[in-house]
Amino acid sequence: METIAARKYAIIEKVMHLNEEELTELESSLIKFSEGPVSVEQYNREIDEAEAEMDRGEFYSQEEVEKLAKKW
C-alpha cells in the first residue's frame, strides 16, 4: 500500500503536467470542493448549468478522457 507521502507526490506530478486550461479547471473544482456542502437550490443551478454545457457540446467524450489520462 502506498504511503500518504507517495500519494501526495503522485498528485503533484500529475498537476505539474497539466496545461493552462486543465489547471484552471482543477483550481475551480478545488475551490468549489473547499466551499463545502451546497444548498438544494445551488445544487439544482449547478445541474442546470452542467446540462446547458452538455447541450452546447462542452464536454469530453470517454475516448478524449482516456487520451488525456494517458498523458498523465
Side-chain angles (χ1 to χ4, degrees), residues 4-31:
I4 191 160
R7 291 170 52 203
K8 288 178 181 180
Y9 283 118
I11 291 169
I12 291 168
E13 185 176 332
K14 288 178 184 179
V15 169
M16 294 300 295
H17 290 95
L18 296 178
N19 65 36
E20 182 72 26
E21 181 181 342
E22 294 165 332
L23 182 59
T24 300
E25 289 177 20
L26 176 61
E27 288 171 332
S28 295
S29 295
L30 289 173
I31 289 168

Side-chain angles (χ1 to χ4, degrees), residues 39-60:
S39 67
V40 172
E41 294 80 14
Q42 177 65 29
Y43 177 78
N44 287 330
R45 280 193 299 272
E46 290 179 14
I47 293 292
D48 291 341
E49 180 182 327
E51 288 176 342
E53 289 173 358
M54 290 179 62
D55 290 342
R56 293 189 304 265
E58 298 174 1
F59 61 89
Y60 293 106

